[in-house]
């Protein structure tokens, strides 16, 4: 059974459309892929009531003659499998005959409109597979709120641009701490070189406590600058400077309303609060790196660990800055441009 939550997704049978997935199968009719789907599942279409049949006058029918039972024997065209013999004393069940399929029954097949790739052959026993297993053979591309998921390349470039922006802020704000730390580091470096030239060990030279204090101060200031740069931007518009340049946006899983500072802070904290741990043998950097590459292992929504914590996804904005067309009204939210 698929673990993909219920919602509107791109129809694997027709990439130009999207349909509602209820966790086990598709519901309702397909709508254009760039349309904004309605909230929840599509409305159930009512079937027209069957036309009342005209009453027929009762007619007297002659009593039916008894139907003789069908002759016992195998179905027409049946042959004994090679090398297989019936058990001794076995007899065909009385009145047995091959039953036709129910009226309206159709052989199971791929989704409507699906075209197999050139040279594709169904696996053995495909028609006997349960729907969930067959569905697994047709990957479902999620489209949160009608938008395509942001690619891993644009997300990486946006993160690198944001790192560059925070680095420039640190050069301005953390410059004094970095200068004082360098003044302490240069004599320590020279003393270490002299100690090693005299046959000693580099570990014999101990750093001053002031160096450690300056390092922790720089890490804490860098963390606060990152928080001030990212959390308010994600809370209000869902976009930092890097995300605006790469045209991607952070939205909630359930709607496209602004996240608010509390939720944006929780998303940032899952990643940013590890920054002071850089001073502990680089443990913080390793944990942040694992978080940043985690979308590679989420094939459904491409959520990083901090996205899963805040229940957010990163979407790609259309080139023309328009919302997908609303399937129920045939237009945007208010006929205006922009993304809510």
């Amino acid at each position: 059974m698929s673990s993909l939550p219920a919602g509107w997704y791109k129809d694997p049978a027709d990439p130009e459309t999207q349909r509602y997935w209820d966790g086990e199968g598709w519901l309702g009719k397909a709508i254009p892929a760039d349309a904004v789907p309605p909230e929840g599942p599509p409305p159930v279409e009512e079937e027209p009531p069957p036309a009342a049949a005209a009453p027929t006058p009762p007619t007297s029918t002659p009593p039916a003659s008894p139907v003789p039972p069908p002759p016992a024997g195998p179905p027409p065209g049946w042959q004994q499998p090679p090398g297989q013999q019936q058990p001794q004393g076995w007899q065909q069940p009385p009145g047995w005959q091959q039953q036709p399929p129910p009226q309206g029954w159709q052989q199971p097949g791929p989704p409507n409109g699906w075209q197999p790739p050139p040279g594709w052959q169904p696996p053995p026993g495909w028609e006997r597979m349960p729907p969930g297993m067959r569905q697994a053979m047709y990957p479902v591309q999620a489209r949160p709120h009608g938008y395509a998921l942001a690619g891993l390349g644009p997300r990486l470039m946006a993160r690198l641009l944001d790192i560059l922006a925070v680095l420039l802020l640190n050069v301005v704000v953390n410059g004094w701490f970095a200068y004082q730390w360098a003044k302490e580091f240069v004599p320590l470096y020279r003393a270490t070189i002299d100690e090693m030239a005299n046959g000693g060990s580099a570990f014999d030279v101990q750093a001053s406590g002031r160096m450690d204090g300056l390092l922790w101060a720089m890490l804490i200031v860098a963390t606060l600058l990152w928080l001030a740069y990212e959390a308010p931007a994600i809370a209000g518009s869902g976009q930092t400077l890097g995300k605006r340049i790469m045209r991607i946006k952070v939205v909630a899983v359930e709607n496209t309303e602004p996240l608010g500072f509390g939720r944006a802070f929780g998303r940032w904290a899952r990643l940013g609060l590890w920054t002071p741990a850089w001073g502990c043998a680089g443990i913080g950097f390793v944990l942040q790196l694992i978080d940043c590459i985690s979308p590679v292992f989420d094939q459904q929504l491409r959520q990083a660990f901090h996205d899963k914590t805040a229940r957010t996804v990163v979407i790609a904005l259309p080139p023309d800055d328009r919302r997908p067309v609303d399937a129920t009204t045939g237009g945007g939210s208010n006929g205006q441009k922009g993304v809510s």
Side-chain angles (χ1 to χ4, degrees), residues 44 50 64 66 117 124 175 254 283 305 327 333:
V44 178
E254 67 276 8
I283 295 177
F305 292 151
S333 176

Side-chain angles (χ1 to χ4, degrees), residues 305-331:
F305 292 151
H306 54 276
D307 285 313
K308 294 180 183 296
T309 300
R311 298 187 72 250
T312 57
V313 290
V314 184
I315 60 173
L317 297 179
D320 55 358
D321 244 4
R322 290 181 180 271
R323 291 192 58 175
V325 178
D326 192 342
T328 59
T329 62

Side-chain angles (χ1 to χ4, degrees), residues 170-217:
N170 276 275
V171 170
V172 175
V173 180
N174 251 338
W176 185 84
F177 293 102
Y179 174 72
Q180 296 297 323
W181 185 86
K183 288 176 61 178
E184 297 287 333
F185 175 77
V186 171
L188 176 67
Y189 175 77
R190 292 174 178 172
T192 302
I193 296 299
D194 294 340
E195 185 69 22
M196 295 177 63
N198 295 328
S201 173
F203 297 100
D204 294 337
V205 181
Q206 298 296 327
S208 64
R210 189 167 186 268
M211 281 189 64
D212 293 338
L214 290 170
L215 177 61
W216 283 105

